[in-house]
Amino acid sequence: MSRERQILGAAAELFYERGFHNVGIDDIGARVGITGPAIYRHFSGKEHLLATLYHEALDQLFLHVGRGQGDPHAELEALIRAQAQFTIDHRELVGIYTREDRYLADPWRTEVARRTRKLMELWVGVLEQCFPARSEQEVLSAAHAAVGLLHSIAHWPRAALQTPDLASLLVELVRSGLASLDGDVAVRA
């Protein structure tokens, strides 16, 4: 594993465990087995580490969306599944994102916000196609509700994460909730 990967992994663990503000560069270095100042050979500081973690998360998520091949309901299913599986697989990183984004400074804040908006625009676009009778505000709220539910996994107790095929359960729950947008609570298969 490269030194940069080790540093990023240690930063993610520590930011999740203690919170961004309560972690110093020396703490990250100690976790990796180097001095804190040695981190500056790879990253300009904690904010750069946090921004890199966010960008990597968004990169991975964008790799798995857009797989519905033209059918908006299939696209919605793929989007929900991608977000659910990503959050399960990277719950610490999502936890950092949901709790620590306020510590991200410019120029990183602007770029992460732009990319996050792009992801939400994807959700909104798919929901608009699935539920054309709903207003723009209702679709936007539904998109944020769905993503919020999926992001909540980051803060669940470990026992709840042991559910067999948790991703499929989450897809079913989110899909059922969103299906209520067209007055039909029946789950689309």
Side-chain angles (χ1 to χ4, degrees):
M1 181 184 307
S2 76
R3 181 62 76 192
E4 285 186 1
R5 284 268 53 103
Q6 291 173 335
I7 293 168
L8 286 167
E13 290 170 1
L14 289 167
F15 293 161
Y16 184 75
E17 291 168 9
R18 300 185 201 166
F20 179 83
H21 190 66
N22 296 318
V23 174
I25 287 292
D26 289 334
D27 298 322
I28 298 166
R31 178 76 56 109
V32 176
I34 61 175
T35 65
I39 290 174
Y40 293 112
R41 290 186 208 132
H42 305 278
F43 299 95
S44 63
K46 283 187 351 178
E47 294 82 7
H48 187 190
L49 284 163
L50 187 62
T52 301
L53 289 168
Y54 286 167
H55 281 299
E56 286 185 351
L58 287 163
D59 289 345
Q60 290 179 29
L61 193 52
F62 278 118
L63 281 176
H64 299 287
V65 297
R67 309 241 170 160
Q69 299 156 339
D71 174 13
H73 291 285
E75 180 65 28
L76 180 58
E77 172 109 9
L79 188 55
I80 296 167
R81 185 165 299 280
Q83 190 98 33
Q85 193 62 59
F86 179 84
T87 304
I88 292 166
D89 293 344
H90 303 281
R91 78 186 268 277
E92 291 84 6
L93 188 53
V94 173
I96 294 165
Y97 176 77
T98 60
R99 289 189 323 233
E100 307 295 341
D101 69 319
R102 67 187 174 277
Y103 293 116
L104 195 59
D106 276 328
W108 299 297
R109 174 187 294 276
T110 302
E111 182 60 18
V112 169
R114 183 192 66 76
R115 294 187 73 207
T116 302
R117 273 192 311 275
K118 184 176 176 183
L119 181 62
M120 289 311 297
E121 288 168 3
L122 181 63
W123 273 90
V124 168
V126 170
L127 288 172
E128 285 175 339
Q129 289 178 37
C130 290
F131 309 104
R134 290 300 184 150
S135 72
E136 183 178 326
Q137 293 81 12
E138 289 171 322
V139 169
L140 181 62
S141 294
H144 281 278
V147 171
L149 179 125
L150 294 169
H151 280 181
S152 74
I153 299 163
H155 309 290
W156 288 8
R158 291 214 181 269
L161 298 170
Q162 303 307 311
T163 302
D165 198 9
L166 180 57
S168 291
L169 175 64
L170 291 166
V171 169
E172 180 183 340
L173 292 169
V174 172
R175 198 172 9 129
S176 295
L178 292 172
S180 68
L181 288 172
D182 78 35
D184 178 13
V185 294
V187 178
R188 294 184 189 275

